Amino acid sequence: MSVSDELERALLYPLADQLPAPGGSIELAPGVRWVRMALPFALDHINLWLLRDQVDGRNGWTVVDTCIDHPESRALWEQVFATQLDGLPVLRVIVTHMHPDHVGLAHWICDRWSTPGHECRLWMSATDYMSARYASQVVNSFGGERLADYFRSHGMAQADDLDQIRNRKNYYRSLVPDVPASFARLQDGQQVRIGGHGWRCISGFGHAPEHMALYCEALAVLISGDMVLPRISTNVSVYEMEPEADALSLFLDSLERYLPLPADTLVLPSHGKPFKGLHTRIQQLQDHHRDRLAEVMAAAQGRAVSAYDMLPVLFKRPLDLHQITFALGESVAHLHRLWYGGQLVRRRDPQGVWRFTPCAD
């Protein structure tokens, strides 16, 4: 049994291996439906949620997260609209955070369901809304010379890899071509009334600028977004726009916000299957990062290391360039946690690469 299999056995999957059919849904709680769509990445799917709702006296649905904008996901949404909404409209779209698989089709769904008498509004945190708007409108979003220079400063030296990153000019915009021109702000602790129930916003940091999870006490359901995933650990990265960030500390601190929730909470993650065992999973994630930090410290003994040097320490499988861009950001996050914690010091070498060594006693 692999380590991941053993960890999964500690969680409860109420639906076992049952998954929604493409274009279909599964009801998980009264007025809560699960939709699943494929993604053309190594992380090959995303979970989306339909919440029965009433807004301004209109009966309908709230959509939580949207998938990337590509023809396949639009076609699947059309099937959902035709067969899963009981003939009712989409009234609003809630997005947990600004990553493309979550916000990519928000503009299309909002436009499609807006009428002269009711605007289908996007709801999300202000920080992530502004980040999505910026990334969808600027050239070289998630690519370009600045990102190549940043990766070079953390040890990436392969000219072909750096050229590919330098020439990746429209990555975000290809998946999120537009973002609605207006939005309604979600804030930590805010109670959003959906379908007669209060859903409390829980902000999270480290994975996205201001991620919003949603918890409904009446239903004992947590829409966790990407903050708590059942099988994989959430990507926690540092990138060139905030190069001195301590993203891993922000993420680990954010996990503590879910511990007061009841042990039998049904967790609806963005990837993987709905599960129970929230407190167990949080402990697993804390243990995972504790162990990875210990491995980084051990690897740094006796030599000055870069974030690129840490890739085989943190990731035991082969990585393609797409995966390396995420992995390198995560490697920086682990080194920065130790740097801010006073266990490592960092200095720039003559080639301009940041290198980390243990603090002298």
Side-chain angles (χ1 to χ4, degrees):
M1 184 188 303
S2 69
V3 173
S4 60
D5 289 339
E6 184 177 354
L7 293 177
E8 277 209 296
R9 285 171 64 91
L11 305 177
L12 172 65
Y13 293 92
L15 277 70
D17 293 327
Q18 185 180 2
L19 301 174
S25 69
I26 295 175
E27 187 166 69
L28 301 172
V32 179
R33 296 183 181 179
W34 172 24
V35 173
R36 180 179 166 107
M37 293 188 183
L39 293 171
F41 314 128
L43 188 57
D44 63 3
H45 72 277
I46 182 170
N47 299 322
L48 314 167
W49 315 103
L50 305 175
L51 306 180
R52 190 69 164 78
D53 203 0
Q54 186 179 83
V55 177
D56 297 331
R58 293 175 171 84
N59 292 317
W61 296 87
T62 285
V63 166
V64 181
D65 288 338
T66 70
C67 200
I68 61 173
D69 190 341
H70 66 160
E72 293 82 356
S73 56
R74 288 195 183 206
L76 286 172
W77 270 121
E78 291 292 0
Q79 291 183 46
V80 170
F81 297 154
T83 65
Q84 304 301 309
L85 302 187
D86 304 329
L88 297 171
V90 174
L91 301 174
R92 60 180 159 187
V93 175
I94 292 177
V95 169
T96 57
H97 61 294
M98 54 81 65
H99 292 160
D101 49 334
H102 298 262
V103 75
L105 275 172
H107 70 102
W108 176 73
I109 297 175
C110 288
D111 286 346
R112 191 191 184 288
W113 288 102
S114 289
T115 68
H118 175 78
E119 182 173 0
C120 181
R121 180 82 69 191
L122 169 65
W123 293 55
M124 64 190 301
S125 74
T127 311
D128 274 59
Y129 173 77
M130 298 301 178
S131 297
R133 288 273 290 176
Y134 173 80
S136 69
Q137 293 179 14
V138 299
V139 177
N140 293 339
S141 57
F142 292 84
E145 192 66 47
R146 283 181 58 84
L147 186 60
D149 287 345
Y150 175 76
F151 282 156
R152 186 188 301 110
S153 76
H154 282 288
M156 181 182 282
Q158 293 83 349
D160 288 346
D161 289 350
L162 290 168
D163 281 343
Q164 287 186 57
I165 292 166
R166 188 177 295 109
N167 293 320
R168 188 174 72 178
K169 298 184 182 299
N170 291 297
Y171 173 72
Y172 192 91
R173 288 199 298 185
S174 70
L175 305 174
V176 189
D178 198 6
V179 174
S182 62
F183 78 112
R185 180 182 297 191
L186 296 178
Q187 300 183 77
D188 184 56
Q190 178 181 349
Q191 289 279 348
V192 181
R193 199 75 180 167
I194 304 174
H197 299 301
W199 291 76
R200 176 164 60 88
C201 297
I202 304 174
S203 61
F205 305 93
H207 173 67
E210 190 183 6
H211 182 292
M212 285 293 169
L214 297 167
Y215 173 66
C216 179
E217 182 177 7
L219 298 174
V221 168
L222 170 69
I223 298 177
S224 65
D226 278 350
M227 290 298 292
V228 184
L229 303 175
R231 184 173 177 84
I232 61 174
S233 59
T234 301
N235 178 264
V236 179
S237 290
V238 176
Y239 287 122
E240 83 282 5
M241 286 186 66
E242 192 183 359
E244 275 80 43
D246 187 8
L248 185 52
S249 293
L250 291 173
F251 176 75
L252 293 172
D253 289 346
S254 295
L255 287 181
E256 300 283 334
R257 300 183 177 203
Y258 303 107
L259 289 176
L261 302 187
D264 65 346
T265 296
L266 178 62
V267 182
L268 309 186
S270 290
H271 309 283
K273 297 174 293 187
F275 70 95
K276 292 188 177 184
L278 174 63
H279 300 163
T280 298
R281 185 56 183 151
I282 290 172
Q283 186 62 57
Q284 291 174 353
L285 291 169
Q286 292 169 334
D287 292 345
H288 166 82
H289 287 292
R290 180 202 62 213
D291 293 345
R292 300 295 81 73
L293 290 165
E295 290 176 346
V296 170
M297 279 300 299
Q301 300 298 319
R303 67 186 182 113
V305 298
S306 69
Y308 198 85
D309 294 332
M310 293 297 98
L311 292 183
V313 174
L314 293 170
F315 302 92
K316 306 299 193 287
R317 64 187 186 279
L319 302 172
D320 60 27
L321 181 60
H322 178 76
Q323 293 166 329
I324 286 174
T325 61
F326 291 100
L328 189 53
E330 190 150 351
S331 180
V332 177
H334 282 78
L335 287 165
H336 278 195
R337 163 85 167 177
L338 296 166
W339 172 43
Y340 279 104
Q343 295 162 271
L344 293 176
V345 296
R346 73 167 195 169
R347 297 182 180 86
R348 220 159 190 168
D349 71 12
Q351 288 73 45
V353 175
W354 288 110
R355 297 198 176 274
F356 297 78
T357 54
C359 289
D361 293 333

